[in-house]
Amino acid sequence: MGALGVLVFVALICLCAPLYANDWAHVNAFSSNINGRIFIDGHWRSVLQANTQGLGLGVSPIGPTWHLNNYFLGADSQGRDVFARLLYGGRDSLLIGAASALFCVFFATISGLAAGYFGGVIDWIVSRLLDITWAFPVYLLAISLSVILVSSGFSVGPLHVQAGSLLLPIIIIAFIYIPYVARPLRGIVMTLREREFIQAAIGSGASDWRILRKEILPNVAPSIIVFFPLMVAFNMLTESALSFLGVGVQPPNASWGTIINDGLDLLYTRPWVAMAPGLMIVITAGALNLLGDGFRDAFDPKAKLRGSI
Amino acid sequence: MLSFTLRRVLSAVLVLLAISVAVFLIFFATPGVDPAARIAGRSASPATLEHVRAAFGLDRPIFIRYWLMMDHLFIKRDLTSYVNVGLKVVPQVLKAAPVTLALVSGAAVIWLVTGIFGGIVAAANRGKFIDPLVMFVGIAAVSVPAYWLGEVVNLITQSRLHSSLFAWVPSAGYIPFTQNPWQWALHLLFPWLTLAALYAGIYARVLRAELVNAMNEDYVRTARAKGLSERRILIKHALRCSLVSIVSLFGLDFGALIGGAALLTEVVFGLQGVGMLTYTSLQNLDLPVIMACVMYGSFFVVLANAVVDILYAFLDPRVRVA
Amino acid sequence: MPESPVLKVSDLKVTFATRQGPLRAVDGLSFEVAPKEVVGIVGESGSGKSVSMYSMLGLVRDANVTITGSVEFQGREILGLSDKEMQPIRGGEIGMIFQDPMTALTPVYTVGWQIVEQLRTHTTMTKAQARERAIELLSEVGIPDPRKRIDHYPHEFSGGMRQRVVIAMALSCNPKLLIADEPTTALDVTTQAQILDLMVKLQDSYNSSIVIITHDMGVIAEMAHRVVVMYAGRPAEVGPEIDVVRNPRHPYTWGLLGAVPRIESRNDRLATIPGNAVSPLDIPEGCAFADRCEYRMDICTKRPQLKGANDHLDACWLSDEQRVAIRTKASS
């Protein structure tokens, strides 16, 4: 329950990102603010200050002010408010995590059900496709796909995805994890198919569609429910890694992963730029994992999902 | 056993073939993407583009294009980077491989030991406070992005506490084992720990679940009825049976890490392994290098999977006949 | 003067604390097992047969269980002993045979390894000696070519052969008492007969006492000297096999015996006991069987005690005259 509360809280404050940026802190989280000045502790100070250490070259952004309405966590190297970006980034991170988990579980359920229920040629084809995707190192597959697609977008039939669109990481991440969900589901369906009540339904002449919908789906639903929060956590971590590498979320959009990347150069001077989004990821993914554990205990103690990325 | 091994190797070769086709399709046949332009890199001259088209036979039938790619990658091994002109890609990958291997193997030892130990301790103390404690640490470890953990480690050991507690930590980089084993280990220590944290968490959680299941099995009841001690039942019977799933997990993870999943750890700690190579080529959009890294990475993954399945058959006698 | 019993169970009660309230799995079970005697415990599934045996040996690992009463093994109280104190008894002096031989053996070790493990736990044999003994045991339980089969894994044996391995293991340390929990239920009919024959034969040569748990009166007739009929965790009828089978007194035993098809019976129809076994969560105050009993009376809301003469006891309110009347009516 605590885990759910944490999740709702994180989601809520992230949803309020525009509200915070526009009406409270009055900052623009997406355009650089190199010459910006803020009024703090009775003084006007530059957001980017000239370096005093070393050769005194370059500038370093202002550190955390710990004033909620005024560069709470300081600025990044372009003078943007890190806290506002953190909230905006959270929106994209959560969106990508949840949406890709949704896509992934949706397609995995279809392929797992089809393969497990119909068997034969369908099973052979689906299983081989899953095998090949599975054999790829996950990150390498994601990177290959991203690097080809991210800067040009792609169009397949009626579907046209713009370069830099958030849909790209969503689709790519959903795609690479399909085998992780589809394989266990296929196994469950195969054992279900041998059970008496399914055999009885087949014997009584019910249509395949009806059996799948009325008999099989309700029986795999608990596993799907258990998988879902774990997939969201998985996908969020993958998104952050891809974004950190520069092949996930593209500017001007931000996600926790891209902010950590922004903070990499400032790590020793302004650690909060990289630390804060990382902490948010840990808290969110931890809550999701705890939630998954809770679901597992409640719905399906035997559900197994490969635990690693 | 021999026929099992042969069959397994054969299927591994088939999977590799399939992966090579998939890589080919991603890099050379994605709809709406001009492969020559991607391979030649940003702002390539028309002459370079022409050269790429010829080298990869981009105006020729699809089978020949596939064959040319494989030829450059594995037979002639003369794939060249167009971003760093003249740089041969395959030797680069082979040079980086030992670094990755050292990083992943060391981490693997750490995560296996701590993960298995944690799983056993949690399962043996079910119902006491130590079990949820171990599991909570496990969840935390699973929820931390590895690269970010690396940054935290760097922040602490290289900056904040570098002048006091962690003065002995060398700066990031890699020293070959042959040059100085002690420095080699010292440089790799924190990368090892960082990479191992996530997997130790996963393994402890998986093993605990497996052990708890195993302890409810009939054969454990038989073992109790035989008058064996609880410790012996846990280690000799339940753990031995649960190890089967740990081994299969380990094979996949080890293969994936060698094959490039350690990339983030390498980047954060500045280790010049295969992952770092992939990363730098990503920054330059240097496609031939990325392609080679992906192909070689997949090769390791498939190899690891095959080894695991064969090992699995040794561990679980039931599989051998199947 | 009869020899002192190998096993003496008095007023054994096993209760599980559940969310729906206390679940009384065994409620006041008492019986004795004399040396070389075979005692059959019979009842439907869920009647508390297996749980009573497991709880005696400390094999019930549920944190919510309470076990009271007394279990004396060779004159020594064993209920409440620690795991450490029980270990020499389990497997050493009391052997166990389980219902499902398919899952009772650890799948990743050879059968020889598993028998040797038990021998080496309870004796001071060397590896080589234990291995020789294991081969001997396998041949005694009728496994052909034991010298080769000893290095096979459980999955390489058929169900019947595996049960033989389990029996060999249970007998390996010459136990005084063998507890067999539905040893034939998971096997096919021809194999069942072979396993029962084997147990009778081995009982002769090993001089063990046996407690055999079953729901099959046929098994009882084949093997047991004395019978305990259990219903809903309570003993319904206790007595020598010959009396209980030929002259059953409790309506529940009538039902159980009726459920066995017999060649000489005039009944063509397979009789069954109407209704379902009572849920252990709400056993009635009075006689547990009352709800399913054809001969139910007003007094059955009070719990009947075990009573009777000549070692043949039952817990039923029917008077002797009533029983005679019912049985005469039934056979006419």
Side-chain angles (χ1 to χ4, degrees):
Chain A
M1 261 1 267
L4 196 61
V6 170
L7 273 182
V8 171
F9 177 72
V10 171
L12 271 182
I13 61 164
C14 289
L15 280 178
C16 294
L19 207 64
Y20 170 80
N22 299 333
D23 298 334
W24 192 3
H26 304 289
V27 288
N28 185 332
F30 296 105
S31 65
S32 50
N33 184 20
I34 296 171
N35 300 316
R37 289 160 67 79
I38 54 171
F39 189 74
I40 197 88
D41 293 338
H43 304 280
W44 281 98
R45 295 174 61 190
S46 298
V47 171
L48 294 180
Q49 295 157 332
N51 263 340
T52 49
Q53 290 166 334
L55 295 170
L57 296 174
V59 287
S60 76
I62 193 167
T65 62
W66 306 123
H67 289 274
L68 252 183
N69 59 348
N70 215 345
Y71 282 75
F72 179 61
L73 292 173
D76 66 10
S77 49
Q78 294 186 47
R80 297 173 296 196
D81 183 333
V82 172
F83 189 66
R85 282 180 67 74
L86 189 70
L87 298 185
Y88 276 110
R91 289 209 309 180
D92 284 356
S93 285
L94 288 173
L95 175 72
I96 293 175
S100 59
L102 212 59
F103 278 124
C104 174
V105 168
F106 180 74
F107 287 109
T109 307
I110 289 180
S111 48
L113 252 56
Y117 181 76
F118 293 109
V121 181
I122 298 182
D123 183 29
W124 194 88
I125 294 173
V126 173
S127 297
R128 292 297 83 75
L129 284 176
L130 294 181
D131 279 351
I132 293 168
T133 329
W134 172 277
F136 257 109
V138 177
Y139 276 122
L140 292 190
L141 181 58
I143 288 169
S144 314
L145 287 170
S146 306
V147 78
I148 287 291
L149 299 177
V150 130
S151 52
S152 60
F154 74 102
S155 50
V156 180
L159 182 71
H160 184 78
V161 178
Q162 294 276 316
S165 157
L166 280 187
L167 263 177
L168 274 172
I170 292 177
I171 291 171
I172 291 169
I173 294 169
F175 172 71
I176 57 173
Y177 283 123
I178 286 178
Y180 290 74
V181 182
R183 279 187 160 202
L185 286 184
R186 170 177 169 271
I188 297 170
V189 174
M190 277 170 70
T191 39
L192 271 178
R193 203 186 184 290
E194 299 308 314
R195 296 268 298 277
E196 291 84 355
F197 68 98
I198 303 290
Q199 290 296 328
I202 295 172
S204 69
S207 72
D208 289 334
W209 171 238
R210 190 188 157 79
I211 294 171
L212 278 172
R213 208 164 36 98
K214 292 273 182 187
E215 310 283 349
I216 306 247
L217 196 57
N219 278 289
V220 293
S223 308
I224 298 176
I225 293 174
V226 172
F227 288 162
F228 191 72
L230 302 179
M231 286 316 293
V232 178
F234 250 45
N235 293 357
M236 226 182 63
L237 288 171
T238 310
E239 177 277 315
S240 82
L242 288 179
S243 299
F244 175 74
L245 293 174
V247 289
V249 173
Q250 298 299 309
N253 287 319
S255 81
W256 286 334
T258 61
I259 303 173
I260 295 179
N261 193 10
D262 294 341
L264 195 53
D265 296 333
L266 301 170
L267 185 62
Y268 296 151
T269 49
R270 296 285 176 241
W272 277 105
V273 182
M275 290 300 111
L279 280 177
M280 292 306 285
I281 294 177
V282 175
I283 291 168
T284 316
L288 283 163
N289 279 320
L290 275 175
L291 200 65
D293 272 16
F295 279 3
R296 188 202 319 264
D297 294 342
F299 294 111
D300 186 7
K302 289 203 195 93
K304 254 190 223 170
L305 184 65
R306 209 173 90 87
S308 63
I309 310 176
Chain B
M1 198 65 215
L2 186 70
S3 79
F4 179 85
T5 312
L6 280 178
R7 259 181 301 152
R8 193 58 193 78
V9 169
L10 186 72
S11 90
V13 171
L14 286 178
V15 171
L16 267 181
L17 214 62
I19 287 186
S20 70
V21 172
V23 169
F24 169 74
L25 289 178
I26 292 176
F27 284 93
F28 288 94
T30 306
V33 177
D34 174 19
R38 308 320 301 290
I39 290 170
R42 275 176 280 207
S43 59
S45 68
T48 322
L49 282 176
E50 249 341 284
H51 184 249
V52 171
R53 289 214 172 85
F56 289 95
L58 291 179
D59 42 6
R60 294 161 76 184
I62 196 158
F63 296 106
I64 300 197
R65 276 187 275 161
Y66 171 74
W67 170 249
L68 281 173
M69 180 191 91
M70 297 310 284
D71 187 42
H72 287 307
L73 264 173
F74 287 109
I75 298 167
K76 289 213 203 86
R77 285 184 288 188
D78 63 348
L79 195 64
T80 22
S81 161
Y82 289 93
V83 176
N84 298 309
V85 183
L87 194 70
K88 290 266 188 293
V89 174
V90 177
Q92 288 284 310
V93 174
L94 296 180
K95 202 181 110 205
V99 183
T100 305
L101 197 66
L103 170 67
V104 178
S105 318
V109 172
I110 298 174
W111 93 60
L112 276 179
V113 171
T114 46
I116 291 178
F117 182 75
I120 293 176
V121 167
N125 292 289
R126 211 144 73 94
K128 297 179 200 152
F129 84 101
I130 197 160
D131 174 24
L133 186 75
V134 171
M135 286 305 104
F136 188 80
V137 173
I139 283 217
V142 175
S143 308
V144 177
Y147 61 95
W148 180 76
L149 182 62
E151 290 192 2
V152 177
V153 167
N154 273 341
L155 180 63
I156 294 170
T157 62
Q158 302 287 355
S159 166
R160 289 301 184 263
L161 294 178
H162 189 61
S163 49
S164 52
L165 194 58
F166 291 108
W168 49 274
V169 180
S171 54
Y174 180 76
I175 307 282
F177 182 79
T178 45
Q179 192 181 323
N180 184 341
W182 169 244
Q183 283 300 321
W184 171 81
L186 208 58
H187 277 82
L188 280 173
L189 179 64
F190 279 101
W192 280 339
L193 290 174
T194 305
L195 186 57
L198 161 72
Y199 291 93
I202 295 169
Y203 282 48
R205 283 163 55 78
V206 170
L207 184 63
R208 176 195 176 270
E210 290 284 329
L211 281 176
V212 167
N213 276 342
M215 290 303 275
N216 288 323
E217 294 280 346
D218 281 359
Y219 63 78
V220 164
R221 191 181 58 193
T222 308
R224 287 212 178 95
K226 280 163 84 175
L228 308 180
S229 67
E230 279 300 304
R231 175 189 291 255
R232 189 179 169 92
I233 293 170
L234 185 71
I235 305 291
K236 278 276 177 179
H237 290 260
L239 179 63
R240 176 62 178 68
C241 291
S242 307
L243 272 189
V244 173
S245 51
I246 290 291
V247 163
S248 59
L249 200 61
F250 178 74
L252 293 170
D253 289 336
F254 191 80
L257 283 174
I258 294 279
L263 151 135
L264 295 158
T265 316
E266 288 177 12
V267 171
V268 171
F269 288 103
L271 301 168
Q272 302 289 336
V274 181
M276 188 66 146
L277 196 62
T278 318
Y279 177 72
T280 28
S281 50
L282 270 182
Q283 306 292 307
N284 312 328
L285 280 180
D286 191 351
L287 241 62
V289 184
I290 301 176
M291 214 161 68
C293 290
V294 171
M295 258 330 282
Y296 276 81
S298 314
F299 176 76
F300 282 117
V301 175
V302 174
L303 190 74
N305 281 339
V307 170
V308 162
D309 279 1
I310 294 164
L311 206 66
Y312 201 98
F314 269 110
L315 274 180
D316 189 341
R318 284 166 298 183
V319 180
R320 278 175 228 165
V321 275
Chain C
M1 171 86 198
E3 289 178 83
S4 63
V6 174
L7 184 73
K8 185 178 174 194
V9 177
S10 331
D11 199 26
L12 183 69
K13 289 190 171 124
V14 181
T15 313
F16 294 90
T18 69
R19 275 181 205 162
Q20 289 88 36
L23 183 155
R24 180 146 288 186
V26 182
D27 188 359
L29 179 67
S30 306
F31 65 95
E32 290 181 8
V33 184
K36 298 179 206 169
E37 192 181 33
V38 179
V39 171
I41 299 186
V42 67
E44 289 168 291
S45 42
S47 59
K49 304 165 294 189
S50 305
V51 176
S52 56
M53 293 303 121
Y54 292 152
S55 55
M56 268 167 36
L57 290 178
L59 295 180
V60 178
R61 294 272 150 178
D62 198 314
N64 300 316
V65 75
T66 325
I67 303 167
T68 61
S70 149
V71 177
E72 280 177 37
F73 175 69
Q74 297 189 307
R76 179 184 174 205
E77 177 63 49
I78 59 168
L79 213 57
L81 287 188
S82 71
D83 256 350
K84 268 229 153 48
E85 294 165 310
M86 277 305 283
Q87 276 157 18
I89 299 175
R90 291 202 284 250
E93 300 188 63
I94 302 180
M96 268 206 91
I97 301 170
F98 296 97
Q99 176 170 353
D100 190 355
M102 294 299 178
T103 54
L105 293 166
T106 310
V108 295
Y109 294 117
T110 63
V111 297
W113 190 95
Q114 300 188 47
I115 299 176
V116 167
E117 180 185 40
Q118 177 158 11
L119 283 167
R120 307 242 307 153
T121 306
H122 296 287
T123 67
T124 53
M125 284 185 193
T126 64
K127 262 191 186 148
Q129 286 170 330
R131 190 179 157 84
E132 279 310 306
R133 176 80 185 112
I135 293 172
E136 229 174 273
L137 279 161
L138 288 180
S139 114
E140 270 181 66
V141 295
I143 288 178
D145 202 0
R147 209 162 275 283
K148 190 175 135 226
R149 297 291 269 167
I150 190 170
D151 290 322
H152 285 192
Y153 290 91
H155 71 272
E156 295 169 284
F157 290 81
S158 68
M161 284 295 153
R162 243 185 268 189
Q163 193 62 302
R164 285 170 196 262
V165 171
V166 175
I167 292 174
M169 203 155 77
L171 286 174
S172 60
C173 301
N174 302 314
K176 298 278 181 320
L177 175 69
L178 200 58
I179 296 177
D181 179 11
E182 307 248 12
T184 57
T185 308
L187 307 174
D188 62 61
V189 182
T190 41
T191 325
Q192 286 187 2
Q194 291 168 2
I195 294 289
L196 288 180
D197 285 347
L198 176 71
M199 287 180 62
V200 171
K201 193 186 104 203
L202 289 173
Q203 203 241 339
D204 262 3
S205 49
Y206 276 80
N207 285 326
S208 311
S209 308
I210 297 183
V211 174
I212 184 163
I213 300 170
T214 181
H215 60 265
D216 182 351
M217 271 298 192
V219 172
I220 296 289
E222 175 112 357
M223 286 196 69
H225 304 136
R226 285 164 48 78
V227 184
V228 178
V229 180
M230 279 183 82
Y231 185 75
R234 300 173 186 175
E237 184 165 355
V238 180
E241 180 263 333
I242 212 135
D243 293 345
V244 174
V245 173
R246 296 243 179 106
N247 188 20
R249 295 176 55 83
H250 196 284
Y252 179 61
T253 321
W254 297 346
L256 278 180
L257 282 165
V260 183
R262 319 199 72 179
I263 300 158
E264 64 269 59
S265 161
R266 275 171 291 174
N267 258 359
D268 306 321
R269 200 165 48 85
L270 191 64
T272 50
I273 308 174
N276 290 318
V278 62
S279 155
L281 272 171
D282 47 23
I283 297 170
E285 277 287 302
C287 173
F289 188 59
D291 287 346
R292 297 168 74 189
C293 185
E294 271 185 76
Y295 315 106
R296 158 170 205 168
M297 303 176 291
D298 288 345
I299 195 168
C300 294
T301 49
K302 284 205 328 201
R303 183 170 170 182
Q305 295 302 311
L306 271 180
K307 60 183 180 336
N310 296 336
D311 217 15
H312 186 180
L313 315 172
D314 68 282
C316 182
W317 290 111
L318 287 172
S319 66
D320 287 350
E321 296 76 36
Q322 284 170 310
R323 293 181 214 224
V324 171
I326 290 167
R327 298 197 72 202
T328 336
K329 200 176 146 213
S331 50
S332 61

